[in-house]
Each structure stands twice: as structure tokens, then as C-alpha cells.
């Protein structure tokens, strides 16, 4: 749990150092990605054998790696790298969905998530233009699917919901209208989401070990 403390500490450092008016730099990218780096260490600290034996954990680690790359791209989003960041997080959601698996199926949760995703896209649609009309649709479908699989399996379901809140705030703030305290909302929900998703990988291992002993 020491690494979780480090993750929380680095989150605080982010809010202290990352000012809204600061210009993009490699230093600001490092500070922004630092909590995610700590989550890498948190999973790697359980050993390579753990990651090899638990594919869900290795896929979550891979998702965290793509997340960090996406975070770095978003530092320079005003310089034209927003789509690159969007792609990295799309891959992250595919990896997380794969980690959560398809059992149990829970079609009711899937139906609710489909309605929620459709509502979000309908709301954003009138503000979108050009390639973003399609890119945002695909992204919402991917994060909605990830949310369904997390909720259906009760693995990191709160983390998945927080991730969706973070991304929806980004979309509204970028495409629709300024969201008050958007930076705080986006980063607080994002870091909490990633921490809960990383924890779910370790919890799934503990559940497997308990089943083997019994």
C-alpha cells in the first residue's frame, strides 16, 4: 500500500504545480503522469509471475501505460495532439474491457450503459463537427463498453464510472461550454478511477487465491 500513498502524494503535487495558465512542457507532462507511473510500480511490485499468471492484471498494466502516453499527448492538445491522446485512451478502454472479461454477461447493465452512452453522444452531437462527429462516437462506444464490463463483473465498477465522468467533463469543456472547476473535476475523478481499476487487478488475484485454498 506504500505505492498507493505515493500515488496520492503525487496527485497532490500535481494540483500544486500544474497551474491552469502554465504552458506545455516535458516537466508538466511528467508531473501529470507521475500518479500513473506510481500505479505501474504498484502492479509491478507484485512480481512478473503475478502479471503472467493473471492476464487481467497485465492488461490493466498495459492500459495504464497507454494512459500515460495519452496524458502526455493531452498536455499538447492545443498544438494538435488531442486526437493522439484520444486514440491512446481508446486503446486503454479496449485493454480494460478485455481485462474485465465477458462473464457474467448482465444484459440489463449493458442496456442501461447503452442508453447512457447514447444520451451523452446525443447531447454532444450538436457541438461536434468534422472528424470529431465520428471519433467521439467511437470513443463513447468504447468507454461505454468498458463501463458495462466493469459494472457487470463488479470489478472496478466505481472506477469505470469515475473514468466516464472525467471524460464527459473533458468533452463538455472542450466542445460545448466551459465547465466550472473543470481541471479539478477531470483530474480528481481520473486519478481515482485509475487507482480503483489498478486495485481491482490485485483484488481479483486475492479472490482467485482464496478460491484455490477453499
Amino acid at each position: 500500500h506504500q505505492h498507493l500513498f505515493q500515488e496520492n502524494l503525487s496527485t497532490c503535487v500535481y494540483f500544486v504545480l500544474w497551474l491552469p495558465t502554465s504552458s506545455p512542457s516535458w516537466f508538466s507532462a511528467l508531473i501529470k503522469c507521475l500518479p500513473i507511473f506510481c500505479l505501474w510500480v504498484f502492479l509491478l511490485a507484485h512480481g512478473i509471475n503475478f502479471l503472467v499468471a493473471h492476464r487481467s492484471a497485465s492488461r490493466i498494466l498495459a492500459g495504464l501505460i497507454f494512459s500515460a502516453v495519452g496524458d502526455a499527448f493531452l498536455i499538447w492538445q492545443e498544438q494538435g495532439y488531442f486526437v493522439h491522446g484520444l486514440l491512446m485512451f481508446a486503446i486503454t478502454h479496449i485493454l480494460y474491457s478485455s481485462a474485465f472479461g465477458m462473464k457474467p454477461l448482465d444484459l440489463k447493465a449493458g442496456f442501461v450503459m447503452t442508453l447512457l452512452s447514447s444520451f451523452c453522444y446525443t447531447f454532444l452531437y450538436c457541438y461536434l463537427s468534422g472528424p470529431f462527429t465520428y471519433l467521439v462516437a467511437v470513443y463513447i462506444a468504447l468507454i461505454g463498453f468498458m463501463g458495462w464490463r466493469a459494472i457487470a463483473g463488479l470489478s472496478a465498477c466505481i472506477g469505470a464510472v469515475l473514468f466516464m465522468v472525467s471524460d464527459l467533463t473533458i468533452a463538455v469543456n472542450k466542445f460545448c461550454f466551459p465547465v466550472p472547476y473543470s481541471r479539478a473535476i477531470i483530474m480528481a475523478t481520473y486519478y481515482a478511477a485509475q487507482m480503483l481499476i489498478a486495485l481491482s487487478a490485485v483484488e481479483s488475484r486475492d479472490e482467485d487465491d482464496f478460491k484455490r485454498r477453499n
Side-chain angles (χ1 to χ4, degrees):
H1 298 294
Q2 180 181 359
H3 299 299
L4 287 180
F5 171 77
Q6 293 172 346
E7 194 271 344
N8 291 328
L9 179 60
S10 59
T11 299
C12 296
V13 172
Y14 170 84
F15 283 112
V16 171
L17 297 180
W18 177 248
L19 301 178
T21 56
S22 60
S23 58
S25 67
W26 286 109
F27 177 72
S28 59
L30 174 63
I31 294 299
K32 185 181 182 184
C33 295
L34 194 57
I36 307 302
F37 294 158
C38 291
L39 291 176
W40 294 5
V41 176
F42 171 70
L43 290 180
L44 288 169
H46 289 80
I48 299 300
N49 291 335
F50 160 68
L51 294 172
V52 172
H54 297 81
R55 292 184 178 181
S56 61
S58 61
R59 289 167 184 171
I60 286 174
L61 175 60
L64 288 169
I65 293 172
F66 278 98
S67 293
V69 178
D71 281 332
F73 275 129
L74 291 181
I75 288 288
W76 286 276
Q77 60 178 293
E78 299 302 326
Q79 285 72 36
Y81 288 96
F82 181 80
V83 173
H84 299 73
L86 198 68
L87 175 60
M88 293 300 102
F89 280 106
I91 295 173
T92 294
H93 296 317
I94 292 172
L95 289 165
Y96 286 172
S97 298
S98 177
F100 299 146
M102 293 301 296
K103 295 180 181 180
L105 193 59
D106 197 348
L107 293 177
K108 290 182 180 179
F111 178 71
V112 171
M113 192 57 64
T114 299
L115 287 179
L116 180 60
S117 299
S118 299
F119 173 79
C120 291
Y121 182 68
T122 301
F123 173 77
L124 293 170
Y125 180 77
C126 60
Y127 296 96
L128 302 173
S129 61
F132 284 113
T133 304
Y134 310 102
L135 292 173
V136 172
V138 172
Y139 187 85
I140 288 177
L142 289 174
I143 193 172
F145 185 81
M146 185 275 290
W148 170 35
R149 297 322 310 148
I151 293 170
L154 296 178
S155 56
C157 55
I158 298 177
V161 171
L162 289 174
F163 214 135
M164 296 176 74
V165 170
S166 179
D167 281 355
L168 180 61
T169 305
I170 290 175
V172 172
N173 191 66
K174 182 175 181 63
F175 298 114
C176 306
F177 48 81
V179 177
Y181 308 106
S182 60
R183 181 177 63 89
I185 295 171
I186 290 166
M187 300 314 302
T189 53
Y190 171 68
Y191 287 143
Q194 293 283 40
M195 183 175 68
L196 291 171
I197 289 172
L199 278 172
S200 72
V202 178
E203 289 173 354
S204 66
R205 180 209 52 181
D206 293 340
E207 290 174 1
D208 290 344
D209 292 343
F210 177 78
K211 290 176 182 178
R212 292 192 190 101
R213 289 196 299 268
N214 293 273

